Amino acid sequence: MNHIMKNWVHVRCRTLLTYIVILGFPTVASASGGEDGGAETNVSIDYFNVGESKSNVGNAATNTSGVLIEVEYEKGSMTYTFDYERWSYDWNNSETLPFILDTTSAPWSTFETLALGIEYEQEINDQWEVSYYLEAESSFEREMSNSFEYEAGVDFNYEASKDWSFTVNVNWEYLDAEGGELGMDLEIEWNHDSKEGWSGEFEISSEFPETHLTYHFTREFSTTMFYNESGTNTIRLSDTSPVIGMQGGYLEDEYNSIGIELGYELTHGGTLSFSVQQNQDRQFSFLDKTGIESVYGIGDAMEASIGFTYEF
């Protein structure tokens, strides 16, 4: 994408996000000033820790931890979201990594992500529903410039019965790192709202298939087995990054996860969760500013996480 077109995309997307904030805040303000009129707010906090992962080349290793905070406000047909995510890396023997210039410095220590979203739901009839959404986020080490990602999409949801529902998602995604691309996903939900016995969620996407299978022992206590793709977003590295050729470049820390989660619904809208998973096929994928990609493998590791969600 040429420079003029790239600037046009940035201007359009940021202008649209400005409208989201202007139009969204009065709605939130009016709800907080009186009766909520059916408004719901959902706040969740998750903390995770990944055990030591060793580099496939050299003698380096890293422990990774992080926190994710998500806030969702829903009123009528509109939903607004705000997410904050922070990843921290604790390195050992990082001087043996083959991709760093300054052997006295760790390749990176922390990443942050800020994200905003808006969604509008339109019910067509008892079986069909259409949702339109727009999301924007920035993932960076230090500088936020050229760290943005935008996504606009439509969900077509069909409830075939009380047990089965199908959702087709069509989206357009634009990254400062890679430009724009179209994507499509298919999600199948089985007994999704049930609080008894088995339920499942299966997603076939243009990126990676994901599966969640849940069993409710009681209405409050459940366990979920899952297999999915995980990791960071596309991170904009620092202008002074010690990674060779990646000053202002991009990184993805990505892996596949298989694990189990325990969930318990508390009274008054709270939910506690704890999960353990095995992270497999982990790799650091770099992309420099000229579009050249390089990949370095890193060993498998166990991950544990704890979360709390409150709805009011």
Side-chain angles (χ1 to χ4, degrees), residues 74 76-79 119-124 129-132:
E74 181 178 352
S77 299
M78 302 299 300
T79 301
E119 181 178 4
Y120 172 73
E121 295 182 1
Q122 181 181 13
E123 186 174 319
I124 306 302
E129 183 178 272
V130 181
S131 299
Y132 312 88

Side-chain angles (χ1 to χ4, degrees), residues 148 178 260 284:
F148 294 95
E178 300 174 339
I260 187 168
F284 297 142

Side-chain angles (χ1 to χ4, degrees), residues 28-50:
V28 176
S30 63
S32 62
E35 294 182 359
D36 61 10
E40 292 183 358
T41 301
N42 190 297
V43 179
S44 66
I45 302 175
D46 292 276
Y47 171 82
F48 70 88
N49 188 282
V50 182

Side-chain angles (χ1 to χ4, degrees), residues 32-257:
S32 62
E35 294 182 359
D36 61 10
E40 292 183 358
T41 301
N42 190 297
V43 179
S44 66
I45 302 175
D46 292 276
Y47 171 82
F48 70 88
N49 188 282
V50 182
E52 185 176 79
S53 298
K54 294 184 178 180
S55 172
N56 291 350
V57 179
N59 191 36
T62 183
N63 292 80
T64 311
S65 62
V67 62
L68 171 62
I69 301 172
E70 298 176 295
V71 180
E72 180 180 279
Y73 176 84
E74 181 178 352
K75 182 175 175 63
S77 299
M78 302 299 300
T79 301
Y80 306 90
T81 59
F82 169 75
D83 300 344
Y84 172 77
E85 191 171 0
R86 181 181 176 90
W87 286 58
S88 300
Y89 293 77
D90 182 16
W91 292 92
N92 292 313
N93 302 319
S94 61
E95 68 277 3
T96 66
L97 290 168
F99 52 77
I100 62 171
L101 285 169
D102 183 0
T103 58
T104 63
S105 301
W108 56 82
S109 58
T110 59
F111 299 138
E112 294 179 281
T113 293
L114 298 170
L116 291 171
I118 185 172
E119 181 178 4
Y120 172 73
E121 295 182 1
Q122 181 181 13
E123 186 174 319
I124 306 302
N125 53 43
D126 291 339
Q127 290 185 296
W128 283 97
E129 183 178 272
V130 181
S131 299
Y132 312 88
Y133 68 88
L134 177 65
E135 299 173 350
E137 64 183 43
S138 173
S139 300
F140 55 93
E141 183 179 8
R142 289 194 189 125
E143 299 86 359
M144 290 185 68
S145 59
N146 299 317
S147 68
F148 294 95
E149 177 179 340
Y150 310 98
E151 182 176 334
V154 183
D155 290 331
F156 302 92
N157 178 259
Y158 173 68
E159 292 191 13
S161 67
K162 69 174 184 178
D163 297 330
W164 292 92
S165 68
F166 303 85
T167 301
V168 175
N169 168 259
V170 180
N171 62 78
W172 180 78
E173 188 177 35
Y174 179 84
L175 287 78
D176 282 345
E178 300 174 339
E181 64 177 4
L182 287 171
M184 181 178 291
D185 306 326
L186 170 64
E187 183 178 301
I188 303 171
E189 293 180 325
W190 168 58
N191 287 340
H192 184 260
D193 295 324
S194 175
K195 298 293 184 180
E196 298 178 354
W198 291 98
S199 60
E201 186 176 320
F202 316 95
E203 182 176 333
I204 303 171
S205 72
S206 51
E207 296 182 352
F208 189 83
E210 299 188 0
T211 301
H212 294 78
L213 191 61
T214 299
Y215 182 77
H216 274 85
F217 298 98
T218 65
R219 290 186 62 84
E220 296 82 15
F221 181 51
S222 65
T223 181
T224 299
M225 295 166 283
F226 59 88
Y227 180 57
N228 56 31
E229 184 180 43
S230 190
T232 67
N233 298 310
T234 302
I235 306 296
R236 195 272 206 200
L237 293 174
S238 169
D239 289 338
T240 58
S241 171
V243 180
I244 298 173
M246 293 297 158
Q247 292 71 39
Y250 300 92
L251 163 71
E252 287 186 18
D253 178 358
E254 50 192 356
Y255 43 85
N256 303 328
S257 300

